[in-house]
Amino acid sequence: MSSFLLKDVRIFDGEAEIANGSVLVRDGIITKVSSSSLDPPSSSIQIISKPGHTVLPGLIDCHIHADGGNPVALPQSLSFGVTTVCDMHNEPANVVKLRKQAEDKSSAADFKTCSVAATIDNGWPVPVVTAHDKSEKTAREIATWPKLETARDAENYVEERVAEKVDYIKLMHESGSPMGFEFNKPSQSLQAAVVKAAHKHGLLAVAHSLALRDTIEVLGAGVDGMTHTFCDAAPTEELIQAYKKNNAHCNPTLAAIGSLTTEGQKTQEAFAHDERAARLLGDVEKERMCQCMAMAKEKGKVEYAYESVKKLKAAGIDILCGSDSAGPAVGTAWGLSMHHELSLFVNKCGFTPAEALRAATALPAKRFGFTDRGRIAEGLKADLLLIEGNPLDDISKTLDLRAVWRDGVLCSKYV
């Protein structure tokens, strides 16, 4: 079903609320949004009247890893209302598989990618991956990763990604200090060369860092956004000015940082055991959600991450919602961790529910240039969620999912 009329519902369009309205979808596209109760334009249009329910844009998780082309990532994301995922590091062969899987709009989230990130020899995440996974398969995959050294390497790397039709470029800038390690880290000049090459091709450049000093350094190279905040120190005015200089955004991945420090474990367990998640979360994924990465247990504090988000938000920096969900990232679960993240935005960082929902819909679409989604507006994709209750009053209601549509196609979990 890609044509239908949702009526008698509250609407949050990604920016503002309509207390009681209608959304008309034809052939997978939103054709009308009204603050009144519409009549269907023809008898062939199915009418879905849902008083007491809220319609939201599909969530955009702007940071996942479908590691190894994991076939669970996209279906589980969609079932939890995440209609678009942004993969932040994957081998080209896996990208091909995941793009193919995403063609089924009834069972998989849409897939955006940077393909393989801009890595260096034995830099992040190589030491962490090899410490936990010594398989020959993983070793073969790592052997294919870039080993950038020069500005020309950076240009060639970006050109290869352009040939793959990537959606953005991902940099890695990690010293390992929050985890008590010392990793090889790219020079600032090399990072600047990657950013310059990305911008030359009209691509957004985002970067990984988990330390305050690393974050300031890579912002100094000109990146457009960060794929984490940090957990090793309190935020500083220097940090805020570095963000402002680039008009960069921050995707803090607070739930994942709580797993890194272990301080988020109780909340992880609460989400994993929430009865609303039970039919959507596999046993393996549930068990992993209750574990912690613990790599920053001794050196990191999740409160630094919360404080950084509060101060960046107060300074006018765009904060985006993304989970960093991945198979090896215990403490996370594809799809479910977005609801965890929304909760942390509201309960730990002072967001209103509407601000948090905007950070998971309209704002990532705007920052990543996804002009066809992220809002409930005429002419955009019918990526829609039907929620029982009002998440604008209570953000925990986002888990009361009653339907998920991607391009107007109902997710098979809700048939």
Side-chain angles (χ1 to χ4, degrees):
M1 178 181 64
S2 60
S3 298
F4 53 91
L5 174 64
L6 277 164
K7 60 185 297 185
D8 308 316
V9 290
R10 178 181 294 102
I11 300 166
F12 178 71
D13 67 6
E15 300 283 355
E17 178 184 3
I18 297 172
N20 190 9
S22 306
V23 180
L24 178 62
V25 174
R26 302 197 75 163
D27 299 323
I29 299 295
I30 298 166
T31 58
K32 193 171 182 60
V33 182
S34 174
S35 57
S36 61
S37 183
L38 294 176
D39 293 323
S42 74
S43 59
S44 63
I45 299 290
Q46 180 180 4
I47 300 172
I48 305 171
S49 174
K50 286 291 181 179
H53 289 64
T54 303
V55 178
L56 305 178
L59 304 181
I60 299 172
D61 188 339
C62 65
H63 188 160
I64 75 148
H65 298 274
D67 48 283
N70 193 313
V72 175
L74 303 190
Q76 186 170 293
S77 293
L78 185 67
S79 70
F80 277 106
V82 176
T83 52
T84 302
V85 300
C86 297
D87 192 286
M88 286 292 169
H89 177 64
N90 224 319
E91 293 75 27
N94 294 328
V95 168
V96 172
K97 289 191 292 186
L98 291 160
R99 281 174 166 164
K100 181 67 175 175
Q101 186 183 31
E103 291 176 5
D104 186 347
K105 297 175 182 181
S106 69
S107 67
D110 199 7
F111 179 74
K112 302 290 186 179
T113 183
C114 61
S115 184
V116 66
T119 51
I120 63 170
D121 190 28
N122 207 35
W124 180 272
V126 175
V128 172
V129 173
T130 55
H132 296 90
D133 184 348
K134 301 185 185 303
S135 68
E136 291 184 8
K137 177 179 181 292
T138 297
R140 288 194 299 270
E141 288 180 341
I142 290 173
T144 69
W145 293 0
K147 297 176 178 62
L148 307 184
E149 294 182 355
T150 67
R152 185 59 196 159
D153 291 341
E155 293 168 6
N156 289 340
Y157 160 79
V158 171
E159 287 169 4
E160 289 170 0
R161 304 289 77 74
V162 170
E164 287 185 83
K165 295 181 170 55
V166 298
D167 302 287
Y168 41 84
I169 294 294
K170 168 82 177 291
L171 293 78
M172 301 292 198
H173 201 75
E174 181 59 57
S175 64
S177 60
M179 295 156 278
F181 299 122
E182 188 173 340
F183 300 142
N184 288 350
K185 187 172 66 174
S187 67
Q188 195 165 9
S189 61
L190 178 60
Q191 302 290 45
V194 176
V195 173
K196 181 180 178 181
H199 289 172
K200 176 183 174 182
H201 290 279
L203 290 169
L204 197 75
V206 297
H208 161 107
S209 297
L210 287 165
L212 172 61
R213 178 48 47 190
D214 296 342
T215 300
I216 293 171
E217 284 178 2
V218 78
L219 284 166
V223 296
D224 304 295
M226 299 301 304
T227 64
H228 301 278
T229 191
F230 48 86
C231 59
D232 66 326
T236 63
E237 182 61 26
E238 184 183 10
L239 171 85
I240 292 168
Q241 293 307 315
Y243 267 99
K244 284 187 170 182
K245 183 178 179 181
N246 298 5
N247 185 30
H249 67 255
C250 176
N251 161 215
T253 66
L254 298 173
I257 288 176
S259 175
L260 282 169
T261 68
T262 73
E263 295 164 282
Q265 187 166 21
K266 286 185 179 179
T267 310
Q268 293 162 208
E269 291 172 347
F271 275 90
H273 292 284
D274 191 307
E275 61 182 12
R276 296 170 296 176
R279 74 181 187 88
L280 305 176
L281 193 67
D283 290 342
V284 171
E285 288 73 30
K286 181 177 180 178
E287 181 180 352
R288 295 178 69 80
M289 181 78 172
C290 296
Q291 300 171 22
C292 286
M293 290 182 273
M295 289 186 290
K297 183 177 181 180
E298 302 300 326
K299 301 282 187 179
K301 292 182 180 179
V302 76
E303 190 57 43
Y304 290 146
Y306 298 154
E307 188 63 24
S308 73
V309 170
K310 293 175 189 175
K311 291 199 170 183
L312 289 170
K313 179 177 180 288
I317 302 303
D318 283 342
I319 309 296
L320 310 188
C321 194
S323 68
D324 195 20
S325 295
V330 294
T332 69
W334 294 293
L336 179 58
S337 288
M338 276 292 281
H339 299 269
H340 184 181
E341 196 78 5
L342 287 167
S343 171
L344 294 174
F345 275 30
V346 173
N347 296 316
K348 297 295 186 181
C349 299
F351 283 60
T352 66
E355 288 172 334
L357 290 168
R358 180 173 180 262
T361 56
L363 199 51
K366 177 182 176 182
R367 295 295 312 214
F368 278 82
F370 303 154
T371 57
D372 60 350
R373 68 194 71 195
R375 293 177 294 120
I376 300 177
E378 293 177 13
L380 300 191
K381 289 157 57 76
D383 291 353
L384 302 169
L385 312 183
L386 182 66
I387 307 290
E388 185 171 354
N390 185 3
L392 297 170
D393 284 342
D394 178 359
I395 196 64
S396 73
K397 291 290 185 180
T398 59
L399 270 177
D400 288 320
L401 286 155
R402 298 297 176 260
V404 176
W405 292 271
R406 182 185 151 209
D407 287 347
V409 178
L410 184 64
C411 172
S412 57
K413 288 285 186 180
Y414 298 88
V415 173

